[in-house]
Amino acid sequence: MSLLTAKNISKRFGGLQALTALDVTVEEKSIHSVIGPNGAGKTTFFNCITGFYHPEEGEVIFNGEPIQGMQPDRVADRGIARTYQNIRLFANVTVLENVLVGMHRHLRTGWFGAVLRFRAPGARKRKHELRR
Ligand SMILES: Nc1ncnc2c1ncn2[C@@H]1O[C@H](COP(=O)(O)OP(=O)(O)OP(=O)(O)O)[C@@H](O)[C@H]1O
Ligand SMILES: [Mg+2]
């Protein structure tokens, strides 16, 4: 089973057909690139996968579960992290730490611990795992 399958995705903005019957399959532990000229529909595709846009047609399956129509926070809960075309990086931390910010939903620190700056049990080990 593929980790991510997008089937027959079509997205229209008024009279402009941005995506037409797009199929994409991503296997676990693989790296893919989406390339194309300006306006090709790359960002629209990412927005459809991550719940920012809802395609008129098609299906997105992540980890065996249909996720199309879900709101972005629900999609993020399931493990899809993204960045944006106009990025706002944290200037005072490293590149790696900027990437790790995208995983904050999957870290275990609660608001109480965050306010009082407690370290969650096993935090050091977990931090090490995330960096791998
Ligand atoms: N919210 C929107 N409303 C109307 N049209 C849009 C919207 N978002 C994207 N489009 C149009 O859809 C098409 C695809 O745009 P998209 O931003 O996905 O392209 P892209 O491949 O990411 O381009 P770039 O390389 O410039 O980032 C373009 O014609 C764009 O103008
Ligand atoms: Mg783009």
Side-chain angles (χ1 to χ4, degrees), residues 38-111:
N38 296 140
K42 303 177 294 292
T43 300
T44 301
F45 170 65
F46 290 124
N47 284 336
C48 286
I49 297 293
T50 51
F52 286 85
Y53 292 161
H54 300 297
E56 285 84 38
E57 273 179 80
E59 192 178 23
V60 184
I61 298 167
F62 182 67
N63 255 331
E65 182 188 16
I67 59 167
Q68 78 272 11
M70 276 185 193
Q71 293 304 309
D73 59 320
R74 302 285 105 197
V75 174
D77 276 345
R78 276 154 184 80
I80 299 186
R82 67 168 297 179
T83 187
Y84 296 87
Q85 192 150 351
N86 300 317
I87 49 175
R88 303 256 164 95
L89 298 174
F90 296 101
N92 54 336
V93 300
T94 66
V95 172
L96 177 59
E97 284 164 341
N98 269 287
V99 173
L100 290 176
V101 169
M103 298 190 75
H104 76 279
R105 279 191 83 85
H106 304 283
L107 301 176
R108 277 177 303 163
T109 308
W111 70 268

Side-chain angles (χ1 to χ4, degrees), residues 8-22 39-41 44-45 47-48 52-58:
N8 197 37
I9 302 290
S10 293
K11 178 66 190 165
R12 214 172 16 252
F13 298 107
L16 191 143
Q17 188 75 38
L19 301 175
T20 308
L22 179 69
T44 301
F45 170 65
N47 284 336
C48 286
F52 286 85
Y53 292 161
H54 300 297
E56 285 84 38
E57 273 179 80

Side-chain angles (χ1 to χ4, degrees), residues 114-128:
V115 169
L116 297 179
R117 309 194 69 159
F118 287 157
R119 188 166 283 190
R124 190 183 292 270
K125 183 165 171 272
R126 177 105 177 98
K127 215 168 159 186
H128 179 73

